[in-house]
Amino acid sequence: MSFDLTDPFGRKITYLRLSLTDRCDLRCFYCMAEFMTFLPKKDILTLEELCQISDAFIARGVRKIRLTGGEPLVRKGFMSLVDHLAVHLDAGRLDEITLTTNATQLARYANDLKNAGLKRVNISLDSLDPQTFSRITRGGKLESVLAGIEAGLDAGLHLKINTVALKNDNASEIPQMVAWAHAQGMDMTLIEVMPMGETGENRLNQFIPLTEIRQHLESQWDLIDTDDNTGGPARYVNISQTEGRLGFISPLSRNFCSGCNRVRVTCTGKIYMCLGQNDHADLKAALREPNGVEALDHLLDEAIGRKPERHNFEIKHPDNPSTSPRHMSVTGG
Ligand code: SAM
Ligand code: SF4
């Protein structure tokens, strides 16, 4: 058994995205169906199992863990996992714990997260207009998110705003959002909508290529390309006028797989080696075997040995718009 987790294409796996729950207090229309059936609790990893799986990855060279969901802050007791990971952070076995959240609950937890050693948090926010926000999230209250953002900034967390570009809902508002984020010292990343799971919505109605958004931004600002590379799919520019950084994540328009250093573990304990492909392995089943920790370690080698070279996302046909049957809320965004 080798120490590091290195895939057949020589990519070292150093980044784990761990989903804590499939549940959420919002219902963003590109992410979930309006009336979602959530998974039975018994299928979800316990907090202890989440800790054990994290430990196994850290022992095999993972240096960064992002907690996601569903909405990670609605998972009861999630701070016990954060505190467990903080021990690894303090001991130098982990470089970073981070979080992707809709921020509705961030006002409650910002200080605890900062005290546990989190530095950077990604906030998903698709509109600054209360009505549009409510429509996109099917009933969410913008004010709770803005309060969460304020509390996060006050706690000294570095916040980045992630915005999914939606042709008919927020595309025209994006310049204003960029200016708002940069004015508060927050970076921002734009994301193309991806075909993940059935949501009862037609993806072709939502999709707008980021090239189009970029052109629009370039008509008013100077966008200066950077070489910033986080090992992920984002390309960054600096905007002279707003003095901030803007990322573009375009999985459908360009392929970003060659530098991929990450895997995802769902809240049910399945490891997906690629966001855009369905091959997976059941870490929870391994962990629940008599020699659970060993079985898990063995399965990690097997799974990483099958990490594919690249994703195969495509929005093909209006009648068959979904390539991946998994919702992002199950896999973890
Ligand atoms: N609830 C948290 C949040 O919204 O930040 C974490 C989970 S959410 C699934 C993670 C990210 O995935 C969010 O930024 C969300 O906008 C994005 N996302 C969800 N479904 C998507 C889709 N079909 N295409 C592109 N991004 C998506
Ligand atoms: Fe919830 Fe995040 Fe999905 Fe929106 S994108 S429904 S906040 S999990």
Side-chain angles (χ1 to χ4, degrees), residues 110-147:
N111 283 320
D112 292 346
L113 291 167
K114 173 71 178 170
N115 292 338
L118 271 78
K119 293 196 167 67
R120 301 186 301 165
V121 170
N122 285 357
I123 311 277
S124 305
L125 174 62
D126 300 325
S127 177
L128 287 171
D129 174 75
Q131 270 93 43
T132 310
F133 180 84
S134 174
R135 187 172 71 248
I136 294 174
T137 58
R138 299 191 182 105
K141 301 260 179 294
L142 177 65
E143 64 205 36
S144 63
V145 176
L146 296 180

Side-chain angles (χ1 to χ4, degrees), residues 23-28 30-32 69-71 102 124 329:
R23 288 164 171 75
C24 186
D25 52 350
L26 301 180
R27 295 285 183 280
C28 303
Y30 54 81
C31 176
M32 292 194 179
E71 174 47 41
N102 62 26
S124 305
S329 53

Side-chain angles (χ1 to χ4, degrees), residues 223-293:
L223 273 55
I224 300 152
D225 285 311
T226 73
D227 292 332
D228 300 356
N229 184 356
T230 54
R235 281 283 167 85
Y236 293 97
V237 299
N238 287 322
I239 303 184
S240 311
Q241 289 81 356
T242 60
E243 297 180 355
R245 195 164 78 136
L246 179 67
F248 294 87
I249 300 186
S250 317
L252 298 174
S253 306
R254 57 178 287 274
N255 201 275
F256 53 80
C257 303
S258 62
C260 182
N261 61 354
R262 64 194 58 191
V263 292
R264 290 172 166 80
V265 172
T266 66
C267 56
T268 58
K270 302 214 167 41
I271 176 174
Y272 282 87
M273 290 69 88
C274 172
L275 180 63
Q277 299 216 13
N278 283 322
D279 190 21
H280 60 272
D282 190 347
L283 302 183
K284 173 161 66 60
L287 196 55
R288 291 182 183 177
E289 282 177 22
N291 282 336
V293 174

Side-chain angles (χ1 to χ4, degrees), residues 58 62-65 85 88-89 91-97:
I58 293 166
V62 158
R63 303 290 309 176
K64 172 173 169 180
I65 297 185
L85 296 177
H88 289 292
L89 197 64
R93 290 186 291 269
L94 207 53
D95 295 331
E96 186 169 19
I97 310 167

Side-chain angles (χ1 to χ4, degrees), residues 214-234:
R214 184 177 169 141
Q215 263 173 13
H216 184 54
L217 294 173
E218 277 173 332
S219 69
Q220 48 184 306
W221 291 326
D222 298 315
L223 273 55
I224 300 152
D225 285 311
T226 73
D227 292 332
D228 300 356
N229 184 356
T230 54

